[in-house]
Amino acid sequence: MAERPVRGRGHGRRPCRGRGGGHGGAGDLAGTAFHTAYLLGSAAGIMLGAAMLRGGVFSRPVAFLAIAANTVGLGLYVPRVGVSHAVLSVVFLEVWYVLVGRRLYRLGRTRR
């Protein structure tokens, strides 16, 4: 990355390498907040899929897709292949979003 001058307190001008000052980068994926949010989000997705199974509004494949996608997403914690599992779960989640959106759209149209 290019160096750019930064003013510090009493230190004059000095070069700033990379990102700093709270700007996110790939290194932010190792913090406690990231892991907590990731685990809670996956758990919520699994519970949402279970609720969809019991509710009857959404089809069983849509509910199972929510459970499967969020379970595959937990593969982030598998050594060596974790990131590829997490990326694969995004593909499943995108399909799930489309199916849920389509169903919600149809529900909205029929209840007017």
Side-chain angles (χ1 to χ4, degrees):
M1 297 193 105
E3 293 182 12
R4 61 180 190 261
V6 174
R7 291 193 184 265
R9 291 178 60 186
H11 300 290
R13 296 171 65 95
R14 65 184 188 277
C16 176
R17 292 182 174 84
R19 297 178 181 197
H23 295 104
D28 293 341
L29 300 180
T32 303
F34 170 79
H35 292 294
T36 302
Y38 195 86
L39 290 171
L40 287 175
S42 294
I46 292 169
M47 288 187 281
L48 181 62
M52 291 170 85
L53 275 175
R54 300 183 77 171
V57 175
F58 295 92
S59 67
R60 292 179 64 83
V62 172
F64 280 120
L65 186 59
I67 294 170
N70 286 288
T71 303
V72 170
L74 290 174
L76 176 69
Y77 299 103
V78 176
R80 295 190 186 160
V81 295
V83 174
S84 61
H85 280 149
V87 171
L88 179 64
S89 75
V90 172
V91 175
F92 292 128
L93 285 171
E94 293 296 328
V95 172
W96 181 74
Y97 293 144
V98 169
L99 294 174
V100 168
R102 187 178 72 176
R103 179 66 179 139
L104 290 174
Y105 179 75
R106 288 181 180 169
L107 284 171
R109 279 190 5 197
T110 59
R111 300 213 174 170
R112 286 186 185 194

